[in-house]
Amino acid sequence: MTDLDVDFLHAARTSYDAIAEAYTAEFHDGLEHRHLDRALLTGFADLVRERGGGEPVADVGSGPGYVTRRLDALGLPVFGVDVSPRMVALASRAHPHLRFHVGSMTGLDLPDRSLAGLIALYSVIHVPDDELPSVLREFRRVLVPGGHLLLAFQTGRGEELHVTERFGHEVSLRYWLRDPEVVAGLLGESGFEVLARVVLAPEEGRTYPRAYLLAKATTTP
């Protein structure tokens, strides 16, 4: 059984395949009006460039590819990874100068210590609580010592939401909402030093705050 056959990954893949066109039309640039989010992305890019080394950066859960495109514009050698083949196809079509491939964050098809940075914006929300530690260890595995990780997720107190319809399509998407301090603790246990915690108030029309955690891979996992 491959990673893509695991239940929660299969649900995410089939759901995002179903809504890929509508999602991409709605969120062709999800950072366009999020000025603070863009500032955090720029800070991440500055840290990766400052370290040097020349290794690439992975945008895990790249979706339509707009974050990958922004990181490229900030001067990073970046590629996108997404569990949805349809999302990958649309991102590749929209950004033909960038590389996107199908993959799972539970088992990235990358060598150890091969990335200078990794970013996962609003993608770990689909990972169950009992799987999250292994995903964070996988992120640590592929990062060089001193490499940087940027996570973003909607916050909560352990709530689990189940959505069965989006954009008029039947889906089965589960969302795990977490306390940033809980995730920070898991990062520490997974070989990361947490450098910053930022919580942004809910946007207009939204229910949940959004958290960003910036971390650095320690010398030894």
Side-chain angles (χ1 to χ4, degrees), residues 118-140:
L118 189 153
I119 188 165
L121 300 192
Y122 308 104
S123 50
V124 297
I125 56 174
H126 297 305
V127 177
D129 288 337
D130 59 352
E131 296 284 347
L132 185 59
S134 64
V135 166
L136 297 180
R137 289 193 296 270
E138 178 69 354
F139 290 172
R140 175 62 189 85

Side-chain angles (χ1 to χ4, degrees), residues 84-158:
S84 162
R86 188 60 188 147
M87 281 290 195
V88 167
L90 292 174
S92 298
R93 187 173 70 188
H95 312 290
H97 64 296
L98 297 174
R99 177 166 61 94
F100 298 89
H101 69 259
V102 178
S104 162
M105 66 178 68
T106 62
L108 294 166
D109 186 19
L110 297 168
D112 294 355
R113 301 187 175 197
S114 59
L115 297 180
L118 189 153
I119 188 165
L121 300 192
Y122 308 104
S123 50
V124 297
I125 56 174
H126 297 305
V127 177
D129 288 337
D130 59 352
E131 296 284 347
L132 185 59
S134 64
V135 166
L136 297 180
R137 289 193 296 270
E138 178 69 354
F139 290 172
R140 175 62 189 85
R141 180 187 70 80
V142 297
L143 281 167
V144 297
H148 288 86
L149 170 70
L150 185 64
L151 297 179
F153 51 93
Q154 289 88 352
T155 70
R157 297 183 179 275

